[in-house]
Amino acid sequence: VLNRLEDTYAKLRANFQEVFKRLFGGGQADLVLTGTKDLLTAGVDIWAQLPGKKMQPLSLLSGGERALTAIAFLFALLRSKSTYLCVLDEIDAALDEANAARFLNYLEELAQDTQFIMITHRKQAMLRARSLYGLAMGASGASRLVSIRLEEAV
Amino acid sequence: VLNRLEDTYAKLRANFQEVFKRLFGGGQADLVLTGTKDLLTAGVDIWAQLPGKKMQPLSLLSGGERALTAIAFLFALLRSKSTYLCVLDEIDAALDEANAARFLNYLEELAQDTQFIMITHRKQAMLRARSLYGLAMGASGASRLVSIRLEEAV
Amino acid sequence: MYLERLTIQGFKSFAERLELVFEPGISAIVGPNGSGKSNIVDAIRWALGEQSLHALRGERLEDIIFSGSDHRRAHGLAEVTLTFANADGGLPVPYSEVVITRRAYRSGSSEFLLNGVPCRLRDIQELFWDTGLGREGYSFIGQGRVEEVLNLKPEERRVFLEQAA
Amino acid sequence: MYLERLTIQGFKSFAERLELVFEPGISAIVGPNGSGKSNIVDAIRWALGEQSLHALRGERLEDIIFSGSDHRRAHGLAEVTLTFANADGGLPVPYSEVVITRRAYRSGSSEFLLNGVPCRLRDIQELFWDTGLGREGYSFIGQGRVEEVLNLKPEERRVFLEQAA
Ligand SMILES: Nc1ncnc2c1ncn2[C@@H]1O[C@H](COP(=O)(O)OP(=O)(O)OP(=O)(O)O)[C@@H](O)[C@H]1O
Ligand SMILES: Nc1ncnc2c1ncn2[C@@H]1O[C@H](COP(=O)(O)OP(=O)(O)OP(=O)(O)O)[C@@H](O)[C@H]1O
Ligand SMILES: [Mg+2]
Ligand SMILES: [Mg+2]
């Protein structure tokens, strides 16, 4: 068990370092074991250094930078051990257009192994979906499907 | 003191009922005292019923509906006792375009008595600002001002 | 293994029957505030066996059954059906298509079906244990919750490491 | 009474001096992730006397002084100046313009100025007590925090009622 945990940690750490660089276009990040050196009880800390900047506490990162760092951790988990289905509810909300584009590019790569159902308001996200559904709250108080015109959306 | 608290509660409650209707285009809401009937120790609960729907726990409301309900409470406080300056950091993030429009319309009314500094990504919010500043992170790692073209923004 | 079809009726805001067909890859759901997008996420979790009403943003069982509106009566039954394509055997049953149905009646009773055959909640939960779609996994990121992983204690974050093992 | 001018240098990401001029009514600040918008909010709070580094998203005093980058050296001083128009006497001092300056040195020392005259932190905090800009007020809604008021215990929400009295 301990060997398997060590392999997983090595793989997760390498994936996180790589995904972070892809999503931020640079910089560096790491997953660091805390507390005891015993993997069965150690904690996992996230360190992030943005491109061109010094290492700082995560709390100092902006809202969008924190969201993207969390997404990098999630993507690293999916790279280490993919799940069949992943449902994402507006996780791109805090990202600006440039960060959202890098996020979607990486998501498309992961989508070869995982089915993603994504709730979004973003036009560039809608454009990359194979299936796109629009909802509305009907006047009668019930949800209903509506057809979507992409030029109007967003 | 108790009389003043009672007057404030009556005013805050009336303001909240009115602001909620304006922001949601209907429905009804209330501020309800909980615990003891003694205003000095009672709590304040928020009840919200969306247009056309039944009264439900706040937790069932959508992300955007919860944000707008919280904004209604804030606006009710400002109507009851305005503050000179109010700084809002992306509080419209979860709102769709229709809710954002109603939010901005009401904000403009409050802005006659209160100075608002609003951080936003939304074009319709930028269009209503008397002063508009754009920031960017320079290549040298420092924040700097940039000029903004409103057709490109958003 | 992927989710082919989602059918919802009577669950939360879905007074009318809603059917969505999905393919592998990326699917997107869009719409205004309160239109039911997050309710769809709740429906999928519930049908997979989620038992915590709090995780579904509710307080009582009746919160997940359509409660009525000015123009519609309340429903007595909430039903969600998930249809999975299982050609790769990702689900440990010998069917190329796996259909899960969960029902909840306002009276309090529940029904669970696996390819049309009544089963227990536990059977459905166990079916998905190794797929990463169980309760502890990283398969569902709720609205406004993507940053949560940054705020966990290091020991809590370690749980993800164990799941990825 | 309104904020006329904000001048920031050396505070967080503002290695270069930044000066913003505001008018009554609505002002908007826009820009990409990490450009410094929320840092401006932190600067205003800090200059008004905020003492909790946690409230400014920092851990240590050095977190609010420009820490340097690949192309710039770290700064030794963070300074924020707020200039208020006070024609209506909203601030209880006999000046039509009130200028507040707060400085923090990497050495750990601090300076506070009121219209150019050195003063204590407490003098600045007391100046703003009745304006609603103090710590407990509803004058600052931080990023991602607008929903917080819905999650408070009822007794905690009562505090707002008291402030509005
Ligand atoms: N049992 C129920 N009966 C009727 N309506 C319900 C029920 N449960 C929830 N709703 C309604 O569903 C709506 C919330 O839907 P949902 O959270 O899916 O919105 P959303 O599309 O995700 O919106 P947002 O973009 O704001 O996040 C609320 O308006 C709520 O009143
Ligand atoms: N002491 C410091 N020295 C240098 N840079 C700093 C310092 N403190 C914070 N920063 C930088 O400031 C940036 C965060 O800025 P801020 O939170 O204002 O962004 P923002 O414009 O609000 O972005 P978002 O739209 O994502 O919320 C981070 O990249 C962080 O590295
Ligand atoms: Mg939602
Ligand atoms: Mg910000």
Side-chain angles (χ1 to χ4, degrees):
Chain A
V1 164
L2 190 57
N3 263 343
R4 195 168 166 197
L5 262 188
E6 284 174 346
D7 291 345
T8 307
Y9 169 63
K11 188 163 56 163
L12 183 62
R13 186 181 179 205
N15 285 335
F16 181 63
Q17 289 166 346
E18 182 233 334
V19 177
F20 183 93
K21 273 190 166 66
R22 278 278 313 270
L23 293 180
F24 281 94
Q28 50 185 326
D30 205 356
L31 293 181
V32 177
L33 294 179
T34 65
T36 78
K37 282 284 160 265
D38 170 18
L39 252 188
L40 294 168
T41 54
V44 175
D45 246 350
I46 298 177
W47 288 12
Q49 181 175 338
L50 302 163
K53 297 192 183 176
K54 300 265 189 316
M55 183 71 76
Q56 288 174 329
L58 286 185
S59 57
L60 280 182
L61 266 55
S62 81
E65 291 164 341
R66 282 172 58 86
L68 200 56
T69 300
I71 288 168
F73 186 71
L74 167 70
F75 281 4
L77 286 166
L78 289 172
R79 271 265 176 265
S80 309
K81 184 183 180 189
S82 64
T83 172
Y84 289 105
L85 169 64
C86 192
V87 182
L88 309 172
D89 197 341
E90 297 195 33
I91 74 168
D92 61 352
L95 306 182
D96 60 32
E97 287 299 299
N99 281 329
R102 282 187 287 263
F103 157 72
L104 287 168
N105 287 337
Y106 206 95
L107 188 76
E108 280 187 313
E109 289 178 28
L110 291 170
Q112 295 167 16
D113 302 321
T114 296
Q115 177 187 27
F116 287 98
I117 296 175
M118 178 171 56
I119 296 184
T120 184
H121 290 293
R122 202 178 285 271
K123 193 168 181 176
Q124 55 170 323
M126 297 178 211
L127 290 170
R128 308 216 199 184
R130 274 177 77 178
S131 318
L132 176 60
Y133 284 106
L135 283 188
M137 179 55 75
S140 64
S143 291
R144 58 188 180 81
L145 274 182
V146 295
S147 64
I148 306 163
R149 288 222 202 88
L150 270 188
E151 323 82 44
E152 289 175 7
V154 175
Chain B
V1 164
L2 189 58
N3 264 345
R4 197 168 162 197
L5 262 188
E6 284 175 346
D7 290 345
T8 308
Y9 169 62
K11 189 163 56 161
L12 182 63
R13 186 181 178 205
N15 285 334
F16 181 64
Q17 289 167 345
E18 181 235 334
V19 177
F20 184 93
K21 274 189 165 65
R22 277 280 312 270
L23 293 181
F24 281 93
Q28 48 184 327
D30 206 356
L31 293 182
V32 178
L33 294 178
T34 66
T36 78
K37 281 286 161 263
D38 171 19
L39 251 187
L40 293 168
T41 55
V44 175
D45 245 353
I46 297 176
W47 289 13
Q49 182 174 337
L50 302 162
K53 296 193 182 174
K54 299 268 190 310
M55 183 74 73
Q56 286 174 332
L58 286 185
S59 58
L60 279 181
L61 265 56
S62 81
E65 291 163 342
R66 283 172 58 87
L68 201 56
T69 300
I71 287 168
F73 186 71
L74 167 71
F75 281 4
L77 286 166
L78 290 171
R79 270 265 177 266
S80 309
K81 184 183 182 192
S82 64
T83 172
Y84 289 105
L85 169 64
C86 191
V87 183
L88 309 171
D89 197 341
E90 300 196 30
I91 75 167
D92 61 349
L95 306 181
D96 59 33
E97 288 299 298
N99 281 330
R102 282 186 288 263
F103 156 72
L104 288 167
N105 287 339
Y106 207 96
L107 188 76
E108 279 187 311
E109 289 178 27
L110 291 170
Q112 292 166 17
D113 303 321
T114 296
Q115 178 187 28
F116 287 98
I117 297 175
M118 177 171 58
I119 297 185
T120 183
H121 291 294
R122 202 177 284 272
K123 192 168 182 176
Q124 57 170 321
M126 297 178 211
L127 289 170
R128 309 215 198 186
R130 275 178 75 178
S131 317
L132 176 60
Y133 285 106
L135 283 187
M137 179 56 75
S140 64
S143 291
R144 57 190 181 81
L145 274 182
V146 296
S147 63
I148 305 163
R149 288 221 202 86
L150 269 189
E151 323 82 45
E152 291 176 6
V154 174
Chain C
M1 194 277 272
Y2 66 94
L3 179 65
E4 270 184 330
R5 184 184 306 266
L6 166 66
T7 312
I8 311 178
Q9 181 151 26
F11 181 88
K12 287 205 171 187
S13 59
F14 301 100
E16 280 180 28
R17 187 170 173 275
L18 180 92
E19 180 154 293
L20 303 184
V21 173
F22 297 111
E23 299 180 44
I26 300 172
S27 303
I29 300 173
V30 303
N33 295 139
S35 56
K37 309 180 295 295
S38 299
N39 289 348
I40 284 175
V41 180
D42 296 337
I44 296 172
R45 293 187 71 157
W46 183 68
L48 288 172
E50 179 61 63
Q51 279 299 76
S52 155
L53 283 167
H54 180 72
L56 303 176
R57 298 178 291 148
E59 289 176 3
R60 287 174 295 277
L61 183 65
E62 62 203 31
D63 289 339
I64 63 166
I65 304 175
F66 181 72
S67 58
S69 65
D70 284 359
H71 298 106
R72 289 174 183 267
R73 221 174 280 160
H75 283 215
L77 162 67
E79 176 176 311
V80 176
T81 297
L82 305 174
T83 303
F84 289 92
N86 193 34
D88 61 356
L91 290 172
V93 285
Y95 312 118
S96 62
E97 196 174 75
V98 179
V99 185
I100 309 288
T101 299
R102 181 172 188 171
R103 294 185 185 122
Y105 293 87
R106 201 171 277 280
S107 62
S109 60
S110 284
E111 286 170 12
F112 307 90
L113 301 171
L114 173 53
N115 281 16
V117 177
C119 62
R120 305 160 303 164
L121 171 66
R122 186 174 181 74
D123 299 320
I124 291 178
Q125 289 170 335
E126 286 183 2
L127 185 61
F128 287 94
W129 264 349
D130 287 336
T131 60
L133 291 171
R135 186 149 216 298
E136 296 307 319
Y138 36 90
S139 293
F140 289 86
I141 313 290
Q143 189 167 1
R145 302 187 62 171
V146 65
E147 251 189 55
E148 247 174 40
V149 70
L150 303 184
N151 294 329
L152 295 176
K153 297 201 190 72
E155 305 76 43
E156 295 171 310
R157 212 171 290 130
R158 216 274 308 293
V159 173
F160 292 109
L161 175 62
E162 292 169 350
Q163 285 160 19
Chain D
M1 195 275 274
Y2 67 93
L3 180 65
E4 268 184 331
R5 184 183 307 267
L6 166 65
T7 312
I8 312 179
Q9 181 152 25
F11 181 89
K12 287 206 173 185
S13 59
F14 301 100
E16 280 180 26
R17 186 171 173 276
L18 180 93
E19 179 154 294
L20 303 184
V21 174
F22 297 111
E23 300 180 42
I26 300 172
S27 302
I29 301 174
V30 303
N33 295 140
S35 55
K37 309 180 295 294
S38 298
N39 288 348
I40 285 176
V41 179
D42 295 338
I44 297 173
R45 293 187 71 157
W46 183 67
L48 288 172
E50 179 61 62
Q51 277 301 74
S52 156
L53 283 167
H54 180 72
L56 303 177
R57 297 178 290 148
E59 289 176 4
R60 288 174 294 278
L61 183 66
E62 62 202 33
D63 290 339
I64 62 165
I65 305 175
F66 181 72
S67 58
S69 66
D70 284 359
H71 299 105
R72 289 174 185 266
R73 220 173 280 160
H75 283 214
L77 162 67
E79 175 175 311
V80 176
T81 297
L82 305 174
T83 303
F84 289 92
N86 194 34
D88 61 358
L91 288 172
V93 285
Y95 311 118
S96 63
E97 196 173 76
V98 179
V99 185
I100 310 286
T101 299
R102 181 173 188 172
R103 294 187 185 122
Y105 293 87
R106 201 169 277 282
S107 61
S109 60
S110 285
E111 288 171 9
F112 307 90
L113 302 170
L114 175 52
N115 280 17
V117 178
C119 64
R120 305 162 303 164
L121 170 67
R122 186 175 181 71
D123 299 319
I124 291 177
Q125 289 170 334
E126 287 183 2
L127 185 63
F128 287 94
W129 264 349
D130 287 337
T131 60
L133 291 170
R135 188 148 215 299
E136 296 306 321
Y138 36 91
S139 293
F140 289 87
I141 313 290
Q143 190 167 3
R145 302 188 62 171
V146 66
E147 253 192 53
E148 248 174 38
V149 69
L150 303 184
N151 295 327
L152 295 177
K153 296 202 189 73
E155 304 75 45
E156 294 171 311
R157 213 172 290 129
R158 217 274 307 295
V159 173
F160 292 110
L161 176 62
E162 292 169 349
Q163 285 160 19

